[in-house]
Amino acid sequence: MKFTKLSLVAALAISSAFAGGDIAPVEPVVEAAPVVSESTITGNVKLWYGTNDAGLNSLFSKNGAFGDAYADVKYSREVMENVTLNVGMAYITTLGLEKDLVSATWINHGAVNPVADVAWLNEANVVIGLPSISSFVKVGRQELDTPFFYSEKWSIATNTFDAAVAGTTALPDTTLIAAWVGRGNGAAGAGTGNVNLTNANFGGGHVGFSPAGSNPAYAFAAINKSITDTALQAWFYKIPGVADAYWLQADTKVSGIDFGAQYAATKLLGNAAVAGGITNKTSAYAFKLGYSSDALSAYVAYSDRDNTAGIDISNIATGHTVNSQSKLYTESYWNYGYVGAQDAQSIALGASYDLGMAKLGAQYTNVNGIVGGTRDLSEFALTASTKVGPINADLAYVNSKNGLASSNNTVLVMLTMPFSL
């Protein structure tokens, strides 16, 4: 994934740790809120297919294959000066692929009918710009991108949150952010997982979290760019009665060489800290060294999670346990829930090259030491991205060995057509 300049209202994020091993340091720029004086309509149409040969499955057979078709549309308009309204709908369907091509879907369509067509409101927010004090407020359903709460982009649909976010750039070279997060539709270990925002369980997904589903979350951040080509981040999270979390990160670039360092920690509170013999604190650190030019980029990264039971160093909004994606530099391309797990030592190597007509990538991830030994990981991924007319085509081949299981292969074909009206 690539870093982009973030508008002040675009997201709750300036983080340089994304899955896929992107090695470019974040460019710590916060732009003024865009003025949308006329109505704009944008969206995406997607057809995604995957196949895996684990167990008795064969590649490209119905068993082991998964697929979905998806569409979203977003309407934006400045309803008055410095006040913008955003509303978006999403729709997921199997197109009948389950009849002869796939046996599973990319996301959960619902427990009653797992292949039913489903539509939901994935965005509904108002953005209030306060240019006189270089600030903004964004309230409503929205995507978030922070180290411990974020919208995962690996799935065909993206999990969103009901939240209120405020930010300011009033201080020199510094962005301050505060957020209240009420709920989200990210299911544990499944990214989007549940299209309805009924799974927002910041108090759930871990033994001893009680009462489940009743705890909001708070996030606070300071991002500083006083040093040339350097971004410093500090994040603090609080889930009252459940847990506190911290994330510190520094990224810099000198003559094409990228260096990054991360430290993350969590602390369980109240009943959560004593249930089931859980230790109340966990932590991890990571380092990354890379090189980037116009066409070529490469990196190596290492991370180490301590040997204590508790919250994994991954997305708390999607369960922070098995299959939950992590923002650590070492995160794998396809298999999540490993690099942030208890006692994991991880190394990741990657490179990409832009041919112009297509961008090619390769990534290797190895994770050892996870408690129990059956969740260690070796993963090698090859990717290719190109554009065919109006369609963005992403292809991936992944070879994985998970714990004691035999190695298996995954092939992904992801076709996306963005549009604007």
Side-chain angles (χ1 to χ4, degrees), residues 70-154:
Y70 167 88
D72 63 52
V73 60
K74 175 182 175 180
Y75 171 85
S76 297
R77 183 176 179 84
E78 187 183 51
V79 294
M80 58 185 298
E81 186 176 8
N82 296 316
V83 178
T84 300
L85 174 68
N86 301 294
V87 179
M89 291 292 299
Y91 174 74
I92 193 80
T93 177
T94 66
L95 288 179
L97 297 173
E98 75 281 1
K99 298 183 183 299
D100 53 13
L101 292 179
V102 303
S103 59
T105 57
W106 274 82
I107 68 171
N108 179 11
H109 290 224
V112 176
N113 184 353
V115 296
D117 292 359
V118 184
W120 69 100
L121 190 70
N122 68 333
E123 183 170 0
N125 59 73
V126 60
V127 181
I128 303 172
L130 305 169
S132 62
I133 55 174
S134 303
S135 304
F136 80 99
V137 177
K138 185 174 184 178
V139 180
R141 191 158 301 178
Q142 58 189 285
E143 293 184 9
L144 298 179
D145 191 3
T146 85
F148 271 121
F149 303 155
Y150 59 95
S151 301
E152 297 182 13
K153 299 300 181 70
W154 62 267

Side-chain angles (χ1 to χ4, degrees), residues 333 359 361 382-386 393-397 411-415:
Y333 176 83
K359 184 174 183 179
L382 293 173
T383 62
S385 301
T386 189
D394 295 285
L395 310 176
Y397 164 76
V411 175
L412 306 173
V413 180
M414 297 164 284
L415 305 178

Side-chain angles (χ1 to χ4, degrees), residues 6 24 71-73 76 81 94-95 119 137 171 179 185 198 201 207 220 239 244 250 262 295 326 340-341 353 379 421:
L6 301 177
D72 63 52
V73 60
S76 297
E81 186 176 8
T94 66
L95 288 179
V137 177
L171 297 178
N185 63 344
T198 57
N201 205 337
V207 176
F220 307 91
I239 309 172
D244 292 341
Q262 298 171 321
S326 176
Y353 189 80
E379 179 194 279
L421 302 176

Side-chain angles (χ1 to χ4, degrees), residues 282-284 303-306 310-314 320-321 324-326 328 330-331 336-344 346 367 370 375:
T282 65
S283 65
S303 67
D304 192 313
R305 156 76 198 279
D306 65 358
I311 296 177
D312 284 356
I313 307 301
S314 58
H320 62 78
T321 52
S324 183
Q325 193 181 56
S326 176
L328 291 172
T330 51
E331 182 58 284
Y336 304 138
Y338 295 88
V339 302
Q342 183 178 350
D343 205 24
S346 308
V367 186
I370 297 177
R375 288 184 57 208

Side-chain angles (χ1 to χ4, degrees), residues 350-376:
S352 65
Y353 189 80
D354 193 342
L355 297 172
M357 60 181 294
K359 184 174 183 179
L360 306 179
Q363 178 174 331
Y364 174 73
T365 306
N366 185 271
V367 186
N368 286 295
I370 297 177
V371 170
T374 60
R375 288 184 57 208
D376 289 353

Side-chain angles (χ1 to χ4, degrees), residues 220-244:
F220 307 91
I223 302 101
N224 182 271
K225 57 165 187 169
S226 298
I227 303 173
T228 302
D229 295 325
T230 299
L232 305 175
Q233 305 179 57
W235 295 82
F236 171 70
Y237 301 82
K238 190 166 198 62
I239 309 172
V242 177
D244 292 341

